[in-house]
Amino acid sequence: MEKIYERPKSLTDRGLAYCPGCLHGVATRLIAELLDEMDQRTNAVAVLAVGCGTLGMFHFNTDVVVSPHGRTPAVATGAKRAAPGKLVFSYQGDGDLAAIGMAEIMHAANRGENFTVIFINNSTYGMTGGQMAPTTLVGQKATTAPQGRNPAETGYPMKMCEILSQLEAPKYIARFALDCPANILKAKKGIRKAFGMQMAGKGFTFVELLSNCPTNWGMPALECMDWMRENTMKVFPLGVFRDGDE
Amino acid sequence: MTKSRDPSALPAGKEGIMERQFLKGNEAVAEAAILAGCRFFAGYPITPQNEIPEYMSRRMPAAGGVFLQGESETASVCMVYGAASVGTLAMTSSSGPGISLKAEGISTLAGACLPAVIVNVMRGGPGLGAIQAAQSDYLHATKALGHGGFRVIVLAPSTVQEAIDLTYKAFGLAVQYRNPVMVLMDGWIGSMMEPVTLPEAKEPVTFSYTGWGAKYFNPSGVGVNVVTSCLLEPEYQELLNIRAGEMYEEWKEKEVLAEEYLLEDAEYVIVAYGTAARAARTAIGELRGKGIRAGMIRPISLYPFPVEHLKRLDRSRVKFLLDTEMTLPVQMMDDIRLAVADAIPVHSCGRSGGVILTNEEIVEAVELAIAKEAR
Amino acid sequence: MEKKITVAGFGGQGVMVIGQMLGYASCKAGRNALFLPKYGPEQRGGTANCSVTISDGEIGAPVSRYVDTLIAMNQPSLEKFLGSVRPGGIILLNSSLCRWEGKRTDVRVAEIQADAIALEIGSPKVANIVVIGAYIQLSGALSEQEMLDAIEEKLGKRPELLEMNRKALRTGMERVTLKE
Ligand SMILES: Cc1ncc(C[n+]2csc(CCOP(=O)(O)OP(=O)(O)O)c2C)c(N)n1
Ligand code: SF4
Ligand SMILES: [Mg+2]
């Protein structure tokens, strides 16, 4: 009998530690599949940010470094510069990348560091219990924005692909969503491209994945997907913002 | 997109504030700050203190104050510095990793002689450590909360009521001494609920900032205020440092807080603060039930440390001290040994990483130490 | 009098509400109480547990090695905390979701069909109130009226809701059984 489903070797045997229905699980799996397919499992270094993505240290069957909060691109810079042959990717949430780590992401991108950023945008601080993130939508409620995000006080969602696109150095910048199988396949293609460009020494590659947080959004996983399509994806348009391969 | 409401949430602006209420430590601290007159709070999410900023986000606007979630701990403590620089008494809170990032701002506040209250709800360290409660930041808080050799008064509650009382008091001390004050609370106190009575609401605290900070340094003379921790002139910097040193000596005279528990006849004295002291209190009851005369010194101000309380122990009666903390290795040891000048042996007992210490473990540690001393 | 209780179950079974309500009611009744939730790094919908202490005196240790009562809302919780009950203590089982296998003989075991009773009353959500009823009946730590006052204040005054909770509490008190 032909085996049509197999656990990627780049994933450990452990059951997923993320909440049921959380798309962190999908993102983790996509990366693991690609590491298998591109034969990079033993050559990869995952630089995990603080956030629910830290749980990846239980899942990625590769070398893993856990970074202090927000400094993830700096840690990845150190790892990649010191070991240029490795496939280095950072795995960061929106609190990590767009709030406390804004300086590090901007400067790593501006230096054109040759690693890949996987940016999980779930418009909240998941691990700490649903506080307002830089990506929280206008009107969206959070534990530190009980009336919903009010732009007069807290500004607007920060669009990292668009912001980074202002820089000259980055080679690949794209935003995908994990809401449905078709979009997940596109996301996988995008990550493959980014990893490939990194291994070809092209420079900084950035993949944003629109994700969910059923626990702190307070809705069942399926409802989250609709919510993403009706809200998140309207504020954060999908697409490739820079493709230095072309 | 709201979560079901936490039944522990205190209804904002509730009448009859003096009545007994069942409150969570973190929320109680936030409310105490508002009652003490604090009208500016800036924070950043981190477990186990999230209820403080969350509570402030609901309560501050109603109280006519400012709530801000900074983009980082570095930013939020500097927002507090900014508020203080224009005469507003402000607070920030965090836990270990975030307090490390606040070090820069706290040092700046101290250097510029500005008051503020910083709450550290401790978790297990070092690094990101464990998010469960611990007492891992004694040394950081009492020895060097940032660079440059400044000190802050450090207050450590062991009940939710005391967390309220000490937070309330912290604001007064900050203004009186023009210096940041730290409330060093372990994560258990932050997350537990207990019956409490809230103090009376004070008017919002503002202070004159004229002549502040740069009190001894006014390059342009009249009509402007220069708030700075950047003195540039060595003589001015030294003058401020000497003044600060005198203030720290004054604290040792006036601001030491400690509880002495069953010391009159104690042969074995536990030294413990915060939640560890609560476990010790229960352990002492059990030890006394077995005829073992145990007692406790509970530092409430960790800085200034209750040196005199330890010094005046009867050295002919007290057979040993037991430094009991929820961190390993224990961190108060050097302060205790210095205070008793090694005239009394000091043993240690603790758990760490977010593992809670039980009374039974303390009983066993005392019995073990008795056996060791007998040898 | 001092009573230490561990309440344990799945997230979503209202474990924290049981603990908090026992605390609120004790506070309201003029006693001392301490509620301490155990939290993990994330909210994975896994297991949840909390400690409660109810006392006439000052409360010292928030957590001790042994408790007087374990309230086990499901089988994994029963197994995990079985050893933490002091000899002579009580294990209160939600027998809708766990079975007593007689692994200890030095404790008293009580059972309440919390989920079944809650369904009977008309709302699966009140299983935790049923358990509270069973606990106060067994322990005598709080009276029915003291508990009701707290429930009314904290869980809502809507007449239908209140009636449901009142019924759940009473049925819990009536239907709890001590095993021989
Ligand atoms: C210096 C510091 N501040 C705060 C924290 C607490 N913390 C842990 S995870 C996290 C952010 C989680 O949000 P995000 O990056 O969006 O990741 P998510 O969990 O949503 O995937 C924070 C603030 C920390 N660990 N270190
Ligand atoms: S808290 Fe949110 S982001 Fe984190 S694992 Fe759960 S659902 Fe996912
Ligand atoms: Mg996030």
Side-chain angles (χ1 to χ4, degrees):
Chain A
M1 207 170 71
E2 195 197 351
K3 214 170 179 181
I4 53 165
Y5 173 87
E6 211 177 5
R7 192 179 193 90
K9 296 214 166 29
S10 301
L11 274 189
T12 61
D13 290 342
R14 211 182 137 123
L16 282 184
Y18 314 113
C19 305
C22 178
L23 296 173
H24 265 299
V26 172
T28 304
R29 194 187 159 89
L30 282 188
I31 295 167
E33 283 174 4
L34 282 167
L35 294 179
D36 278 19
E37 289 165 21
M38 298 172 83
D39 200 17
Q40 291 290 324
R41 186 184 82 78
T42 54
N43 187 47
V45 179
V47 183
L48 305 181
V50 182
C52 290
T54 313
L55 297 168
M57 71 184 179
F58 299 123
H59 301 313
F60 286 117
N61 193 15
T62 58
D63 288 350
V64 166
V65 187
V66 177
S67 165
H69 193 26
R71 317 297 171 227
T72 327
V75 176
T77 297
K80 184 71 185 189
R81 292 264 185 144
K86 293 276 183 189
L87 173 79
V88 176
F89 66 93
S90 72
Y91 186 99
Q92 306 178 247
D94 40 359
D96 188 83
L97 184 138
I100 193 167
M102 186 58 105
E104 282 75 5
I105 190 65
M106 293 304 289
H107 289 278
N110 192 48
R111 288 190 305 265
E113 294 294 342
N114 188 30
F115 66 84
T116 303
V117 176
I118 308 292
F119 172 42
I120 308 292
N121 177 355
N122 59 4
S123 60
T124 190
Y125 284 83
M127 176 162 275
T128 43
Q131 293 82 8
M132 199 192 79
T135 44
T136 297
L137 306 188
V138 169
Q140 186 183 348
K141 284 186 176 156
T143 54
T144 49
Q147 312 296 325
R149 183 174 193 163
N150 171 8
E153 292 254 326
T154 50
Y156 295 85
M158 298 184 90
K159 301 174 187 172
M160 291 311 297
C161 285
E162 288 83 339
I163 291 172
L164 289 168
S165 295
Q166 303 304 307
L167 300 173
E168 280 175 41
K171 286 292 181 295
Y172 183 74
I173 300 175
R175 180 183 291 130
F176 303 97
L178 300 178
D179 64 309
C180 64
N183 279 339
I184 291 172
L185 277 180
K186 285 187 199 157
K188 186 169 176 182
K189 264 190 161 160
I191 303 171
R192 183 193 298 278
K193 171 137 199 177
F195 283 173
M197 286 173 74
Q198 180 189 158
M199 292 320 282
K202 296 237 160 119
F204 187 79
T205 47
F206 184 91
V207 179
E208 173 172 348
L209 302 173
L210 298 183
S211 186
N212 67 346
C213 177
T215 298
N216 292 299
W217 289 9
M219 54 178 90
L222 278 179
E223 230 174 275
C224 285
M225 310 307 174
D226 289 335
W227 200 89
M228 282 167 70
R229 286 187 281 267
E230 279 154 32
N231 300 282
T232 326
M233 284 155 70
K234 291 194 174 141
V235 179
F236 296 99
L238 307 186
V240 177
F241 293 77
R242 166 98 36 104
D243 190 344
D245 245 5
E246 282 167 5
Chain B
M1 198 176 274
T2 37
K3 285 199 279 182
S4 61
R5 260 192 80 74
D6 176 1
S8 69
L10 180 76
K14 187 170 184 278
E15 295 293 330
I17 257 181
M18 303 300 281
E19 83 198 24
R20 208 158 169 261
Q21 305 182 48
F22 195 57
L23 291 191
K24 183 178 265 239
N26 283 334
E27 298 193 334
V29 160
E31 183 59 29
I34 287 173
L35 294 173
C38 172
R39 289 294 182 277
F40 188 103
F41 177 90
Y44 187 80
I46 188 167
T47 310
Q49 61 84 56
N50 288 319
E51 293 91 349
I52 299 179
E54 287 170 0
Y55 185 91
M56 288 299 198
S57 77
R58 303 194 291 270
R59 185 76 168 84
M60 262 304 184
V66 177
F67 163 79
L68 278 166
Q69 179 178 314
E71 64 273 31
S72 66
E73 290 85 351
T74 315
S76 51
V77 72
C78 288
M79 290 169 180
V80 164
Y81 173 57
S85 71
V86 294
T88 299
L89 190 49
M91 175 165 113
T92 184
S93 64
S94 192
S95 185
I99 297 292
S100 285
L101 292 179
K102 288 188 195 293
E104 177 187 61
I106 301 170
S107 181
T108 304
L109 282 158
C113 305
L114 287 176
V117 173
I118 291 104
V119 180
N120 179 358
V121 187
M122 290 183 285
R123 62 191 219 170
L128 292 165
I131 60 161
Q132 282 78 10
Q135 296 184 314
S136 49
D137 299 338
Y138 175 89
L139 286 172
H140 189 211
T142 60
K143 306 299 175 211
L145 202 41
H147 66 279
F150 71 96
R151 302 296 164 97
V152 304
I153 293 177
V154 181
L155 304 173
S158 87
T159 63
V160 176
Q161 182 67 58
E162 202 173 39
I164 291 171
D165 298 343
L166 293 177
T167 304
Y168 197 72
K169 184 183 173 69
F171 285 92
L173 290 172
V175 173
Q176 183 184 342
Y177 292 109
R178 302 173 171 196
N179 201 67
V181 173
M182 172 163 276
V183 176
L184 189 71
M185 179 158 99
D186 55 64
W188 288 284
I189 311 278
S191 54
M192 70 172 58
M193 296 177 77
E194 288 191 292
V196 294
T197 314
L198 290 168
E200 258 175 59
K202 288 187 191 163
E203 287 299 305
V205 180
T206 51
F207 47 83
S208 153
Y209 56 91
T210 315
W212 274 62
K215 194 168 183 185
Y216 303 94
F217 177 67
N218 197 348
S220 57
V222 267
V224 296
N225 299 294
V226 179
V227 175
T228 180
S229 70
C230 180
L231 274 296
L232 295 176
E233 297 280 346
E235 289 76 16
Y236 287 126
Q237 182 64 62
E238 185 177 53
L239 191 61
L240 273 189
N241 291 350
I242 290 169
R243 280 268 314 161
E246 287 163 6
M247 173 172 76
Y248 308 151
E249 290 307 310
E250 189 182 338
W251 294 349
K252 290 177 189 168
E253 303 255 306
K254 295 185 185 156
E255 305 302 346
V256 173
L257 288 172
E259 180 194 351
E260 296 182 323
Y261 183 63
L262 300 182
L263 280 190
E264 303 74 33
D265 61 345
E267 292 178 283
Y268 313 101
V269 176
I270 295 169
V271 186
Y273 73 94
T275 300
R278 301 181 67 131
R281 195 183 301 277
T282 302
I284 288 166
E286 289 164 3
L287 287 162
R288 286 193 170 251
K290 296 181 180 189
I292 297 171
R293 288 205 281 271
M296 170 166 66
I297 293 178
R298 176 170 74 89
I300 298 170
S301 62
L302 302 185
Y303 193 90
F305 193 71
V307 174
E308 292 304 321
H309 292 70
L310 282 153
K311 261 192 184 164
R312 63 176 177 249
L313 287 173
D314 182 345
R315 293 171 187 206
S316 61
R317 190 184 66 235
V318 176
K319 302 209 170 61
F320 63 77
L321 299 167
L322 186 72
D323 177 0
T324 302
E325 296 179 60
M326 298 210 204
T327 185
L328 289 173
V330 291
Q331 299 183 26
M332 271 192 303
M333 181 62 94
D334 292 346
D335 285 337
I336 297 170
R337 287 183 56 191
L338 211 57
V340 297
D342 280 342
I344 307 175
V346 190
H347 294 260
S348 70
C349 155
R351 295 301 299 263
S352 69
V355 183
I356 199 161
L357 179 68
T358 63
N359 43 304
E360 290 91 344
E361 285 165 310
I362 300 175
V363 168
E364 286 159 12
V366 169
E367 289 175 336
L368 186 71
I370 291 175
K372 271 192 195 158
E373 287 295 326
R375 256 187 263 131
Chain C
M1 186 234 31
E2 177 162 309
K3 294 196 188 306
K4 273 197 152 41
I5 307 142
T6 297
V7 191
F10 295 127
Q13 280 189 303
V15 164
M16 298 301 169
V17 175
I18 296 176
Q20 284 186 359
M21 290 313 299
L22 291 173
Y24 276 123
S26 310
C27 170
K28 227 173 140 54
R31 244 154 281 160
N32 280 326
L34 187 150
F35 163 78
L36 185 66
K38 304 284 166 56
Y39 53 95
E42 67 289 308
Q43 307 154 332
R44 302 294 103 109
T47 57
N49 75 85
C50 63
S51 318
V52 184
T53 310
I54 301 172
S55 178
D56 294 325
E58 190 178 354
I59 298 174
V63 173
S64 297
R65 194 175 287 162
Y66 300 110
V67 293
D68 301 295
T69 306
L70 166 65
I71 300 179
M73 296 295 283
N74 62 20
Q75 197 72 29
S77 303
L78 171 63
E79 267 143 42
K80 182 165 177 201
F81 293 102
L82 184 69
S84 71
V85 182
R86 71 166 167 77
I90 300 176
I91 296 178
L92 171 58
L93 300 179
N94 172 12
S95 48
S96 293
L97 291 179
C98 48
R99 252 190 34 239
W100 179 246
E101 284 161 351
K103 284 189 188 154
R104 279 184 68 175
T105 52
D106 58 344
V107 290
R108 288 186 302 154
V109 178
E111 293 186 329
I112 185 77
Q113 291 253 359
D115 292 277
I117 294 171
L119 272 182
E120 212 179 288
I121 294 173
S123 162
K125 284 191 184 147
V126 297
N128 53 357
I129 308 293
V130 175
V131 169
I132 292 176
Y135 174 74
I136 62 172
Q137 175 70 26
L138 280 175
S139 65
L142 288 155
S143 73
E144 183 179 6
Q145 194 53 50
E146 286 169 337
M147 212 53 238
L148 274 178
D149 288 347
I151 288 175
E152 183 176 338
E153 187 179 318
K154 290 294 168 185
L155 298 184
K157 294 188 170 64
R158 266 197 302 126
E160 326 84 81
L161 195 73
L162 199 59
E163 191 42 42
M164 188 89 79
N165 284 332
R166 190 193 305 276
K167 223 166 162 183
L169 190 73
R170 168 53 64 88
T171 318
M173 292 178 72
E174 285 169 0
R175 302 261 280 271
V176 62
T177 51
L178 260 177
K179 266 179 148 4
E180 286 317 305

